[in-house]
Amino acid sequence: MAAFDFKKDRKDLYQPTTAPSIVDVPEMLYLMVDGQGDPNTSKAYIEAIQILYSLSYTIRMDKTEKDYFEFVVPPLEGFWDFAEHAVFPNGGPVADKNQLVWTAVMRQPRFVTPEVLAAARAKLSQKKPELNAGLARLETFTEGLCVQAMHIGPYDAEPATVKLMERYRDQRGFAAEYTAARRHHEIYLSNPTKVAPEKMKTILRLPIKKR
């Protein structure tokens, strides 16, 4: 039997087109690590990614859990916002990236419980003691209504895609709904170390509500 793949199970959520669409994202289980800073230079962000991948692969390799099933480790995701007092230079749309507040996340199969996570942390602490696996928490989250689109290209070119999504949202009678829980969401389908910037694929989601 083939390993379960979240991306294939819900193609509407993981294989969108470049044309914006409205999706209602159900409750999902995530490993999460919080932080702040420029993802291009922040040691905390690099460590968060290492923790998420290391724990996810440790969980995948441990088949002793009674409800275990084979699964493909899902892509890295991130929820993004700016610090409360972030300064937007020259009135532009891009703030100082050092003011970014982020939660790096990776989806988990339903058999992952706090006990499964604790066991994975213990194994990881022995294998990679330099990683603080205690920074990761297990949490369910229901994202709800979003406008979604596939962005193809470098991360710094995302504002053009976001503008298309915002126009689509407004034309269909929806409004933005940014809160402490509902933030700009990105799902990274490409490895930036292996894929040319102009070919990278990133799913973008913006939280919305009905007017």
Side-chain angles (χ1 to χ4, degrees):
M1 182 181 295
F4 179 80
D5 191 336
F6 292 105
K7 300 188 302 299
K8 294 179 180 179
D9 179 61
R10 289 294 303 268
K11 293 182 179 180
D12 58 324
L13 298 180
Y14 291 97
Q15 298 182 34
T17 67
T18 56
S21 62
I22 304 298
V23 292
D24 192 354
V25 186
E27 180 182 272
M28 296 181 182
L29 182 66
Y30 293 100
L31 282 178
M32 298 183 167
V33 179
D34 298 315
Q36 180 174 336
D38 185 341
N40 298 311
T41 59
S42 169
K43 291 182 179 179
Y45 186 70
I46 294 172
E47 183 181 23
I49 293 174
Q50 292 174 334
I51 290 169
L52 291 174
Y53 273 109
S54 297
L55 282 173
S56 295
Y57 276 101
T58 299
I59 291 168
R60 192 189 74 165
M61 296 301 293
D62 185 357
K63 303 180 182 181
T64 59
E65 167 61 34
K66 65 182 179 67
D67 294 321
Y68 176 89
F69 56 85
E70 293 276 358
F71 68 97
V72 176
V73 172
L76 175 71
E77 307 183 32
F79 293 96
W80 299 88
D81 198 357
F82 286 109
E84 183 178 357
H85 301 295
V87 177
F88 288 74
N90 303 319
V94 179
D96 177 4
K97 290 183 179 179
N98 289 311
Q99 298 297 317
L100 282 167
V101 176
W102 44 262
T103 301
V105 307
M106 192 164 283
R107 195 172 171 190
Q108 299 297 304
R110 285 294 175 184
F111 70 80
V112 178
T113 62
E115 291 74 23
V116 170
L117 175 56
R121 281 182 179 141
K123 291 182 179 180
L124 185 58
S125 66
Q126 293 180 342
K127 187 176 181 180
K128 296 183 178 181
E130 71 279 8
L131 291 181
N132 184 2
L135 292 175
R137 69 183 188 279
L138 187 67
E139 187 173 313
T140 57
F141 177 64
T142 303
E143 193 169 6
L145 276 178
C146 296
V147 58
Q148 172 180 271
M150 180 74 78
H151 170 73
I152 299 178
Y155 302 135
D156 286 345
E158 287 180 9
T161 301
V162 170
K163 286 183 179 180
L164 291 175
M165 296 168 69
E166 290 174 336
R167 187 179 306 124
Y168 179 90
R169 173 199 67 199
D170 296 343
Q171 289 174 344
R172 278 151 185 79
F174 292 89
E177 189 181 34
Y178 290 100
T179 66
R182 307 199 69 208
R183 294 174 281 168
H184 176 97
H185 186 184
E186 300 184 356
I187 303 174
Y188 307 105
L189 301 183
S190 301
N191 184 336
T193 65
K194 298 180 179 180
V195 179
E198 66 272 14
K199 295 182 179 179
M200 290 197 306
K201 294 182 178 180
T202 307
I203 299 170
L204 304 183
R205 290 186 192 147
L206 309 180
I208 61 174
K209 62 182 179 181
K210 294 180 180 178
R211 291 187 185 276

